[in-house]
Amino acid sequence: MTNATGPARPDIAHPATFAAGVPHAEFARRRREEPVGWVEEPPLWRRAAGGRTAQRGTGYWAVTAHEDVLEVSRRPEVFSSAAKGAFLVDPRTDADLRQARELLVNMDAPQHLRIRRLVTSVFTPRAVRSLAESVAAHAAALAERAVRAPRFEVVADLASELPLLVLADLLGVDRRDRHLLYRWSNHLVGFDDPEYGGGDVEVYRATFGEAFAYALRLAARRRDDPAGDLVSLLANAEVDGRRLTDREFCNFWLLLVVAGNETTRHLISGALQALHDHPAERERLVSGAVPMASAVEELIRWVTPIMQFRRTAVRDTTLGGRPIRAGDKVVMYYASANRDPAVFDAPDALDLARDPNPHLAFGTGPHFCLGAHLARLELTALLTALGPNLARFEPLGPAVRLESNFVNGVKSMPARFAPPS
Ligand code: HEM
């Protein structure tokens, strides 16, 4: 595509842009020419009871250099998560904003820490290590089934299944209900994708309603009869001398459902694709020439399943030499920071031995991902379970990518483990 001033640049604000892949060349240009650069937002179609409307965002500062993403994350008193939420799309109404602020990601101190503290114990490296056995068992069963099948669907049969099974155990969901978690997170995170939410506000609201009703039934059961699980902890936990309200409980539970499944799913499918595309690196992993821990970290950097999160400046400030006004939207592109040559040697090369690897795929600062250790554990378990079979992984068709400016995701990818020659 060209225009009067030369080739058109990929629109990093538009969900459809990412259906063709992450526009790394555009991010590289931005880091060089305008590391804090203004982006106009395109109108996005929304369907609601009143008909079809175009929603257009305010425009935003795209922050693409590693050091600036660090700075935004580490100055929450200036770059707020609560002012307008942590998502790129602006809340449509005050009521939507109030509702958004009930989610942990959309809170600022001191409320943020009070709520976050409730569950940090469940996600410490030690607590997560105690899940290792069950995660490994799920990974082994899934790997065995995929390796035996003449062909399988990477996302539905493998990449989505592991996080769903792990989450079902963690969140007190009957494993047979895990398809519900899959559908809810597709509709919420895949809101812009025509196959999932399709920009339909009513579908979005209905999904919340359905998920909350499910969560409330769970909470009621665990309040009557606590088990030693995360749901019992949340349902009975007290903040400032009072129990979480039903809404607070439901919001937390649903955040874990969405954050814990979609992200890890895309990490797994992206990692399998990356290893296939880099056979020499794959060989180093399979032969044990590189440590699993550094390989997992590099695959997380490479895929960067969540491409960005948003903040809002609450007072005038500067960033990367640019004046930022109070009220401005500021978007941190982890997908770009993780390929910044100022920090990573040969950032566009997959190097499974890379160490140190200060990637920002899990964010940093007070909102640092609660599930980072769990996500690492899941990918480690799956790669370990697949072992030498990894060398025979073969896509049988193109990956169909998600239309999303938020997650770097694949919806489907047919594949097989080729028979040993
Ligand atoms: C590869 C997988 C994952 C990636 C790339 C990822 C990425 C992120 C990022 C970038 C943030 C920061 C949000 C911000 O700064 O506004 C975050 C927060 C969060 N993540 Fe993850 N995540 C992953 C897996 C998980 C898992 C498995 C869980 C839970 C089971 C989880 C739960 C959360 C929660 C609850 C927060 C909010 C923390 C807060 O606001 O204090 N994540 N994640």
Side-chain angles (χ1 to χ4, degrees), residues 104-105 112 116 259-260 263 267 309 311 334 361-363 367 369 371 375:
L104 187 71
V105 264
H112 171 249
R116 182 171 162 120
T263 49
L267 172 63
F309 262 113
R311 300 290 186 261
Y334 309 121
F362 294 119
H367 288 273
C369 176

Side-chain angles (χ1 to χ4, degrees), residues 196-278:
Y196 296 144
D200 192 324
V201 178
E202 300 307 325
V203 171
Y204 194 82
R205 292 206 173 116
T207 303
F208 260 99
E210 206 184 303
F212 275 23
Y214 191 100
L216 279 179
R217 285 198 297 275
L218 270 183
R221 277 210 295 275
R222 289 302 198 278
R223 279 178 185 146
D224 292 345
D225 183 18
D229 61 8
L230 176 58
V231 180
S232 306
L233 182 88
L234 273 181
N236 296 295
E238 293 197 352
V239 186
D240 300 336
R242 66 162 179 83
R243 228 160 49 179
L244 290 187
T245 63
D246 284 347
R247 276 192 79 87
E248 284 169 331
F249 170 85
C250 289
N251 273 304
F252 210 136
W253 186 84
L254 187 59
L255 176 64
L256 291 172
V257 168
V258 174
N261 111 56
E262 189 96 12
T263 49
T264 314
R265 177 197 316 172
H266 300 315
L267 172 63
I268 292 171
S269 55
L272 289 176
Q273 175 90 59
L275 291 172
H276 173 262
D277 295 345
H278 299 82

Side-chain angles (χ1 to χ4, degrees), residues 329-369:
K329 189 189 315 196
V330 174
V331 178
M332 300 174 285
Y333 278 96
Y334 309 121
S336 174
N338 286 348
R339 301 263 179 133
D340 187 340
V343 174
F344 300 98
D345 291 337
D348 295 319
L350 180 77
D351 173 5
L352 296 183
R354 193 182 290 278
D355 185 24
N357 192 340
H359 70 74
L360 299 175
F362 294 119
T364 182
H367 288 273
F368 179 77
C369 176

